[in-house]
Amino acid sequence: MQSYLELARDGKKEMWEAVQLEMDRRKTFAEKYNISKLDYATVDNPFDGRVICGHCGSNFGRKVWNSNNERLRRIIWRCNKKYTVKGEKSCENKHVDDTVLYKAFVSVFNEMVENKEYFMEKWKVGLQSENFLIRYKTKQFIKILKNAKVLEEFDIDLFFRIIEKITVFEGEKIIVTLLDGIEIECEIE
Ligand SMILES: [Zn+2]
């Protein structure tokens, strides 16, 4: 039997290991998608470095479409390879409204809540993973979902705790990838 102190120490060690692995994961992710500012995502801009082009695999960038009419002002995300140097082939993926990204998260999260049993079954596998970080995230997911209720609106804290990336395909569908690698598809209305 472990003493309480030993358990606490193991808990801390586990946490420390998870933090190191999470830093590695972010670094690998940022290198893969050529993202330089993954840690700069903020409350106003939770999607920075997390929206990926399903067409060419680049990172999506945020763009504000201004208008004199405030109601027509829009924030969109589009592939960073949309307009490249003249003569080079640019990416033809369509842009996506940021409202779609907010909605996609809410719909994915609610799908998880409504299909709790299904996800809990999937996470039983995650708990056995060789990968320490996946085991750690899986435990967190189970904790989050256990008492979760459907969301009425975007929740930034849940977003950062659950989502690795959102991949956009031709303005038709998006695939939301959870931090443990599970992918959930959403149609774009
Ligand atoms: Zn692209």
Side-chain angles (χ1 to χ4, degrees):
M1 264 287 273
Q2 279 180 306
S3 73
Y4 176 75
L5 254 174
E6 278 167 341
L7 281 174
R9 204 162 55 212
D10 282 359
K12 265 188 195 152
K13 188 167 170 269
E14 198 181 48
M15 176 73 108
W16 186 85
E17 275 181 43
V19 169
Q20 302 307 309
L21 287 165
E22 171 64 12
M23 278 160 58
D24 286 350
R25 185 195 68 79
R26 287 189 193 187
K27 193 163 166 273
T28 311
F29 183 86
E31 279 167 9
K32 181 173 175 191
Y33 296 110
N34 202 12
I35 296 162
S36 51
K37 298 189 294 183
L38 190 58
D39 289 325
Y40 295 164
T42 59
V43 175
D44 292 331
N45 182 16
F47 304 115
D48 207 17
R50 286 174 169 82
V51 186
I52 305 297
C53 178
H55 194 77
C56 75
S58 279
N59 185 20
F60 262 41
R62 181 179 188 266
K63 178 126 185 64
V64 180
W65 281 352
N66 274 314
S67 167
N68 293 334
N69 185 338
E70 188 59 29
R71 284 186 321 170
L72 295 178
R73 189 174 173 271
R74 284 166 70 195
I75 295 170
I76 60 115
W77 289 78
R78 73 179 178 210
C79 183
N80 281 340
K81 294 238 170 89
K82 177 94 184 162
Y83 301 103
T84 40
V85 192
K86 246 186 184 170
E88 274 181 44
K89 203 170 183 289
S90 57
C91 180
E92 279 155 24
N93 204 350
K94 295 200 179 82
H95 68 265
V96 63
D97 255 62
D98 79 333
T99 53
V100 171
L101 301 176
Y102 285 109
K103 273 192 215 154
F105 173 71
V106 172
S107 106
V108 159
F109 188 80
N110 289 346
E111 205 176 308
M112 287 162 70
V113 173
E114 279 155 13
N115 300 287
K116 218 179 258 189
E117 302 293 313
Y118 171 81
F119 282 95
M120 289 296 186
E121 277 304 311
K122 279 208 147 191
W123 288 332
K124 274 186 192 163
V125 181
L127 285 177
Q128 307 296 325
S129 171
E130 297 275 297
N131 182 318
F132 179 83
L133 190 59
I134 292 197
R135 289 206 308 276
Y136 187 82
K137 302 261 187 211
T138 304
K139 262 191 238 168
Q140 283 195 319
F141 286 177
I142 291 171
K143 218 161 116 191
I144 290 169
L145 208 63
K146 224 179 219 166
N147 302 310
K149 296 196 174 65
V150 290
L151 291 178
E152 301 282 336
E153 56 186 36
F154 187 75
D155 183 316
I156 190 156
D157 181 46
L158 287 174
F159 177 78
F160 285 136
R161 284 162 75 186
I162 292 174
I163 303 302
E164 181 192 46
K165 63 180 176 186
I166 301 175
T167 312
V168 179
F169 292 88
E170 311 290 336
E172 283 164 16
K173 65 167 182 182
I174 61 187
I175 292 182
V176 176
T177 308
L178 310 186
L179 281 166
D180 67 346
I182 291 181
E183 296 183 333
I184 303 168
E185 187 177 325
C186 313
E187 298 288 327
I188 296 180
E189 291 157 33

